[in-house]
Amino acid sequence: MHYGLIERLKKIRQVQGWTRAGLSLDAGLANNTVAGIEVGQMPRVDTVETLAWSLGVEPCWLAFGTEGVEPFRKKTPGGAARPGTLPSAISTTAPNDAALHAGLPTRLTAARVARALTRQALGEAAMTTEQTVANIEEGCNLPAIATVERLAKALSVSPGWLAFGQGCGLDEAGG
């Protein structure tokens, strides 16, 4: 799902008339941040959230597309939006002082414990390391959206819920 980030970002940025540097600066990021993402650099969840608020779209949509709110095991083939399509709903939620991604460590820990997984087992299932899982859970590192997607898949929760608290979490995903 995160592979579509580049096209979603480009399309919404162009529709809204932003230059790459202009959007980066409006979001309070280095002036080459958007350019880097649009050529394939994987952003962290906080960067995606910041860009989404500047663009007026939901962070979950920007990061993962329309299916980002669904848990992996509930997905059906052919249900994904066409690449490059704009969101059907622009964000109606204004950002507040608490960033949505700030709850990621707590959500990750809760989902891992609910699935009775050790950090090592989750790391292996998500093709990452036990140390990466520990660093995220302890709030030491913010992961890139690709890592969030792999963790969500291993936990059978939506990547949007894990990253931003949007979409299906433990209760809705059967946890």
Side-chain angles (χ1 to χ4, degrees):
M1 286 180 276
H2 71 275
Y3 290 123
L5 167 71
I6 294 170
E7 287 306 312
R8 288 186 294 274
L9 178 59
K10 279 183 188 178
K11 184 140 184 143
I12 194 81
R13 177 182 62 76
Q14 291 169 347
V15 165
Q16 292 186 7
W18 286 104
T19 63
R20 290 171 166 180
L23 176 57
S24 294
L25 294 174
D26 183 74
L29 303 168
N31 69 349
N32 62 349
T33 300
V34 171
I37 294 168
E38 288 186 2
V39 298
Q41 292 176 357
M42 190 56 54
R44 294 183 333 190
V45 293
D46 57 331
T47 301
V48 172
E49 185 173 348
T50 300
L51 288 170
W53 294 134
S54 285
L55 290 165
V57 298
E58 293 290 339
C60 181
W61 175 82
L62 185 58
F64 305 111
T66 57
E67 286 194 331
V69 296
E70 297 296 325
F72 279 89
R73 62 192 176 103
K74 291 187 179 180
K75 292 193 185 321
T76 56
R82 289 185 322 263
T85 58
L86 292 175
S88 58
I90 298 298
S91 175
T92 56
T93 307
N96 57 28
D97 291 339
L100 297 176
H101 71 271
L104 189 153
T106 302
R107 289 187 294 271
L108 178 60
T109 302
R112 180 181 59 77
V113 169
R115 301 287 189 261
L117 293 171
T118 64
R119 287 175 171 174
Q120 180 177 358
L122 177 56
E124 290 172 3
M127 296 179 293
T128 190
T129 66
E130 175 183 4
Q131 189 62 53
T132 296
V133 174
N135 286 342
I136 297 168
E137 286 186 351
E138 294 167 11
C140 299
N141 280 4
L142 285 173
I145 61 168
T147 302
V148 171
E149 188 171 329
R150 288 193 317 269
L151 289 165
K153 184 174 184 178
L155 292 164
S156 296
V157 298
S158 76
W161 175 79
L162 188 58
F164 308 110
Q166 299 174 319
C168 295
L170 290 172
D171 294 338
E172 300 91 342

